[in-house]
């Protein structure tokens, strides 16, 4: 998910009452909720190298053990440093090291839990396994989750500042509503994939001779009741529309997939950037075109075939003709 969502998730956890457990609870929760994204420095590498590095080692089990400990140590040091300089706020609660460490773990673990929900992918087991996991439940930026998180934090803070009792209640309502929303979206995705798989199997688009059918119900912005149905077998691929409000029909022409093929595989061997792209890609397809004395290989991913996103997720390389 985006970092605003992660930050607001940390803030909601604090407003649910956790911020009263120890000093520095709220900053610890918010920073912890974002800390696995330290791998964002990989974008400095240029090209598509960052795709192969993001959501990997800093989101895996070793990081989940070490990152909260590092954050906890920094926060303890910061509290002591402020105390020595006489700048520790008088209203700050005493530091409870046990609770502070627990909150560092809670905030950090919330990050991969949210990242898993979308179709971008996450490698939960890195470095022990580089397998990608996909929740296909929530779009990577979900305005409905934003709205629920902002409302929960704002109303909770407002009640707290006015001295009302049970100021944690709005945050708890927000948390509960978001959990229900995620669960409902999971059911929508499961139903969309089941219906699409059944109808694709029965259609002329796929063949019993090509049983390896992959169907992905890709979440879309804003319209949580809709999904892009992305599908492929070993030869063909296509995209359909699904909505809870209408019946699902297969009504788009089939494209002919140009991947995997020998030229695309050869391009990956020659180009490190292409290898990184293919490592990240879940549903790759290629266009192979002659270009002078070379062959141009253009690789894309079905998940990001929308014209607004495809330029950011396109890998191109030239393969010399032999």
């Amino acid at each position: 998910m985006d970092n605003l969502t992660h930050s607001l998730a940390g803030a909601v956890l604090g407003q649910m009452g956790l911020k009263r457990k120890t000093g520095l609870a709220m900053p610890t929760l918010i920073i912890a909720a974002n800390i696995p994204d330290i791998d964002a420095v990989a974008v400095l590498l240029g090209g598509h190298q960052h795709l192969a590095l993001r959501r990997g080692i800093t989101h895996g089990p070793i990081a989940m053990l070490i990152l909260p400990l590092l954050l906890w140590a920094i926060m303890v040091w910061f509290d002591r440093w402020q105390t020595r300089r006489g700048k520790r706020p008088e209203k700050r609660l005493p530091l409870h090291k046990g609770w502070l460490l627990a909150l560092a773990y809670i905030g950090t673990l919330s990050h991969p839990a949210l990242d898993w929900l979308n179709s971008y992918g996450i490698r939960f087991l890195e470095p022990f396994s580089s397998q990608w996991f996909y929740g296909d439940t929530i779009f990577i930026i979900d305005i409905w989750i934003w709205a629920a998180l902002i409302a929960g934090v704002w109303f909770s803070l407002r009640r707290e500042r006015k001295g009302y009792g049970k100021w944690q209640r709005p945050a708890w309502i927000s948390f509960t509503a978001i959990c229900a929303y995620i669960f409902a979206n999971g059911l929508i995705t499961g139903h969309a994939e089941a219906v699409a798989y059944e109808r694709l199997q029965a259609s002329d688009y796929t063949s019993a001779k090509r049983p390896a059918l992959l169907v992905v119900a890709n979440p879309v912005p804003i319209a949580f009741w809709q999904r892009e149905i992305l599908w492929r077998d070993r030869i063909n691929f296509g995209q359909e529309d699904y909505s809870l409000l209408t019946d699902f029909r297969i009504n788009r022409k089939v494209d002919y997939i140009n991947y995997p093929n020998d030229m695309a595989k050869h391009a990956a061997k020659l180009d490190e950037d292409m290898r990184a792209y293919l490592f990240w890609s879940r549903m790759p397809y290629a266009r192979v075109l002659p270009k002078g004395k070379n062959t141009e290989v253009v690789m894309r991913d079905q998940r990001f075939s929308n014209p607004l996103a495809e330029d950011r997720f396109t890998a191109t390389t030239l393969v010399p003709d032999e």
Side-chain angles (χ1 to χ4, degrees):
M1 304 295 284
D2 62 288
N3 291 104
L4 176 58
T5 299
H6 288 303
S7 299
L8 288 169
V12 161
L13 289 170
Q15 288 302 127
M16 287 166 64
L18 291 177
K19 73 176 187 179
R20 291 295 180 90
K21 300 298 184 181
T22 176
L24 294 176
M26 187 65 95
T28 297
L29 283 166
I30 294 174
I31 295 171
N34 285 280
I35 200 170
D37 275 346
I38 57 174
D39 61 3
V41 297
V43 299
L44 300 176
L45 296 174
H48 293 94
Q49 297 299 308
H50 67 97
L51 293 177
L53 296 173
R54 293 297 307 274
R55 295 198 179 188
I57 188 69
T58 63
H59 293 61
I62 293 178
M64 291 301 103
L65 289 173
I66 294 177
L67 289 177
L69 282 170
L70 291 176
L71 178 60
W72 172 80
I74 291 170
M75 288 304 197
V76 170
W77 170 83
F78 178 73
D79 187 73
R80 291 175 177 174
W81 177 77
Q82 280 195 317
T83 301
R84 287 196 304 268
R85 291 172 60 89
K87 293 187 176 182
R88 189 184 191 281
E90 293 182 3
K91 293 183 179 180
R92 180 186 296 165
L93 294 174
L95 208 67
H96 188 293
K97 293 181 181 178
W99 265 112
L100 190 68
L101 182 60
L103 298 186
Y105 275 104
I106 291 171
T108 303
L109 289 169
S110 74
H111 187 105
L114 287 171
D115 275 358
W116 170 74
L117 294 174
N118 53 64
S119 62
Y120 188 97
I122 182 174
R123 302 196 304 278
F124 277 127
L125 304 178
E126 196 74 58
F128 305 108
S129 169
S130 294
Q131 180 182 350
W132 289 89
F133 295 88
Y134 310 93
D136 298 333
T137 300
I138 302 294
F139 190 69
I140 195 168
I141 297 176
D142 192 297
I143 63 168
W144 306 111
I145 290 181
W146 276 4
L149 288 170
I150 291 170
V153 172
W154 187 81
F155 282 110
S156 177
L157 283 171
R158 187 167 177 266
R159 290 178 65 90
E160 182 183 13
R161 288 167 182 168
K162 291 190 174 184
Y164 296 157
K166 298 183 179 179
W167 51 267
Q168 305 96 329
R169 181 176 292 174
W172 273 101
I173 293 173
S174 171
F175 177 81
T176 304
I178 290 170
C179 288
Y181 174 77
I182 291 170
F183 180 75
N185 271 273
L187 293 178
I188 293 171
T189 291
H191 182 261
E193 289 183 351
V195 170
Y197 189 88
E198 179 183 357
R199 297 194 183 181
L200 282 164
Q201 287 282 47
S203 74
D204 294 332
Y205 281 9
T206 59
S207 168
K209 297 178 181 179
R210 304 189 295 272
L213 177 65
L214 172 64
V215 178
V216 172
N218 200 33
V220 299
I222 303 175
F224 61 85
W225 57 92
Q226 296 179 3
R227 295 291 185 273
E228 286 180 331
I229 302 298
L230 310 175
W231 64 269
R232 61 169 55 197
D233 59 18
R234 292 174 183 170
I235 296 178
N236 301 323
F237 76 99
Q239 177 179 327
E240 318 295 336
D241 295 322
Y242 167 86
S243 173
L244 281 176
L245 308 179
T246 58
D247 188 32
F248 172 73
R249 288 185 175 86
I250 302 169
N251 53 25
R252 297 195 185 188
K253 292 182 179 179
V254 179
D255 288 317
Y256 287 91
I257 197 163
N258 207 5
Y259 177 84
N261 61 32
D262 292 338
M263 184 58 71
K265 294 176 182 178
H266 185 50
K269 291 180 181 178
L270 296 177
D271 190 322
E272 185 178 2
D273 196 54
M274 187 68 79
R275 284 198 300 276
Y277 186 90
L278 287 177
F279 171 73
W280 162 82
S281 183
R282 181 184 185 185
M283 306 182 79
Y285 65 96
R287 298 299 184 202
V288 180
L289 305 168
K291 194 165 187 178
K293 296 182 179 181
N294 302 303
T295 299
E296 183 180 58
V297 179
V298 180
M299 195 77 68
R300 294 189 174 93
D301 189 291
Q302 280 182 258
R303 295 170 298 169
F304 301 97
S305 58
N306 186 292
L308 297 176
E310 66 177 358
D311 287 346
R312 293 175 52 209
F313 298 98
T314 300
T316 304
T317 189
L318 289 175
V319 178
D321 291 339
E322 296 180 356

